[in-house]
Amino acid sequence: MKKVPQQIIPLAIIFIVAIAALVTARHFFVPETFGDYGHYRAASVDEIASQEVVYAGSIICNDCHDDIYETKMNFDHRGVSCEVCHGPAMAHTEEPDEYTPRIPRIRNQCTICHGYNSARPSGFPQVVEEVHNPGRPCLECHNPHKPLLPRAPQACDACHREIALQKAVSHHTSLECKTCHDAPPDHMSNPRFARAQKPTSRALCGKCHDTEADVSRGIPRIKLATHNENYLCWDCHYPHHPEAR
């Protein structure tokens, strides 16, 4: 009889022990219903079915909010489910007065999709959160159901592009250029000789920023009569990108 090589015996022992360990581990760690329906745990189907239903789907929103639903379906957020922004709504559909869906008033909700990411398509609307109206809620300027830019490009932008880009991410983005600048009609065709005028008084800024101004309370205020009264406002503040808030 041919002699078995000496190293085969310890290798065989190790192999048998490993097989026994695997069988034992499978007995304790593999769920009982694993494999009943293929490479899945069959009991998970019943577990998932027993979970509480919290999402209602967007279509049911149309029953009560048809005006908003119709608006949303005509603009770029038509493919975004209502519950993406407002959270699970099943409880609201069953007891509307008891449960109210949240309204996202923080910037982090919108920047999940619209925060700048170089991997996103270049045509997708993106902002650099740190410089785009920092600290202000997106809802202040944008209607999420009708997500259009609050201000369409204007004729001034063609020649004053750098200023337009600065102003577009500032707190003054919604102001038209003619709010502050008086431009003669010929300025568009002969800008060197028909120049637009800059404001020459503090009163223009005071219309919005004086403590007595009749505008939104969210606008920064100063007492114009005593706030550096010997200087024009733009001696200290750059109006196309005002830093004060």
Side-chain angles (χ1 to χ4, degrees):
M1 180 178 178
K2 189 176 180 180
K3 186 178 180 180
V4 177
Q6 186 178 3
Q7 62 273 30
I8 293 297
I9 296 177
L11 288 174
I13 294 174
I14 293 173
F15 181 76
I16 292 172
V17 170
I19 293 296
L22 288 173
V23 172
T24 304
R26 188 181 188 286
H27 174 75
F28 287 103
F29 294 108
V30 176
E32 293 183 359
T33 58
F34 181 82
D36 289 357
Y37 300 141
H39 199 70
Y40 304 99
R41 186 170 63 89
S44 64
V45 176
D46 295 332
E47 292 177 8
I48 293 173
S50 66
Q51 291 181 358
E52 180 185 5
V53 177
V54 295
Y55 288 94
S58 288
I59 295 177
I60 198 172
C61 302
N62 187 35
D63 292 347
C64 300
H65 308 284
D66 56 335
D67 53 337
I68 296 176
Y69 190 84
E70 183 177 353
T71 298
K72 187 170 88 68
M73 294 305 292
N74 286 319
F75 291 94
D76 289 344
H77 282 173
R78 67 178 68 86
V80 179
S81 173
C82 305
E83 291 168 305
V84 170
C85 301
H86 295 288
M90 179 58 79
H92 174 65
T93 61
E94 295 175 343
E95 298 181 80
D97 295 332
E98 186 72 19
Y99 299 98
T100 304
R102 62 181 171 84
I103 298 177
R105 300 188 185 281
I106 58 175
R107 295 164 62 85
N108 291 348
Q109 176 78 40
C110 302
T111 53
I112 292 174
C113 295
H114 294 291
Y116 178 73
N117 186 333
S118 59
R120 291 192 172 117
S122 58
F124 189 81
Q126 301 177 69
V127 298
V128 178
E129 187 177 359
E130 291 77 11
V131 299
H132 185 85
N133 285 340
R136 308 304 302 175
C138 303
L139 289 175
E140 190 173 274
C141 299
H142 303 275
N143 178 353
H145 301 127
K146 188 179 180 181
L148 299 175
L149 292 175
R151 169 185 170 279
Q154 298 179 334
C156 308
D157 300 356
C159 296
H160 305 284
R161 181 171 176 77
E162 184 175 351
I163 291 175
L165 291 175
Q166 283 186 317
K167 183 169 165 287
V169 296
S170 81
H171 302 302
H172 281 169
T173 184
S174 61
L175 296 181
E176 295 187 22
C177 301
K178 63 183 181 181
T179 302
C180 304
H181 297 281
D182 183 16
D186 290 344
H187 178 69
M188 298 292 289
S189 58
N190 198 357
R192 291 184 180 275
F193 295 96
R195 303 180 71 86
Q197 301 300 311
K198 296 179 180 178
T200 57
S201 74
R202 295 157 49 86
L204 179 67
C205 301
K207 289 181 180 178
C208 294
H209 296 292
D210 186 19
T211 51
E212 303 300 324
D214 185 19
V215 293
S216 168
R217 303 308 301 177
I219 295 177
R221 306 299 185 89
I222 49 97
K223 192 169 182 55
L224 190 67
T226 58
H227 181 81
N228 291 336
E229 62 273 19
N230 294 327
Y231 298 91
L232 294 173
C233 302
W234 44 98
D235 287 337
C236 302
H237 305 278
Y238 182 55
H240 297 136
H241 200 172
E243 78 286 1
R245 173 50 72 177

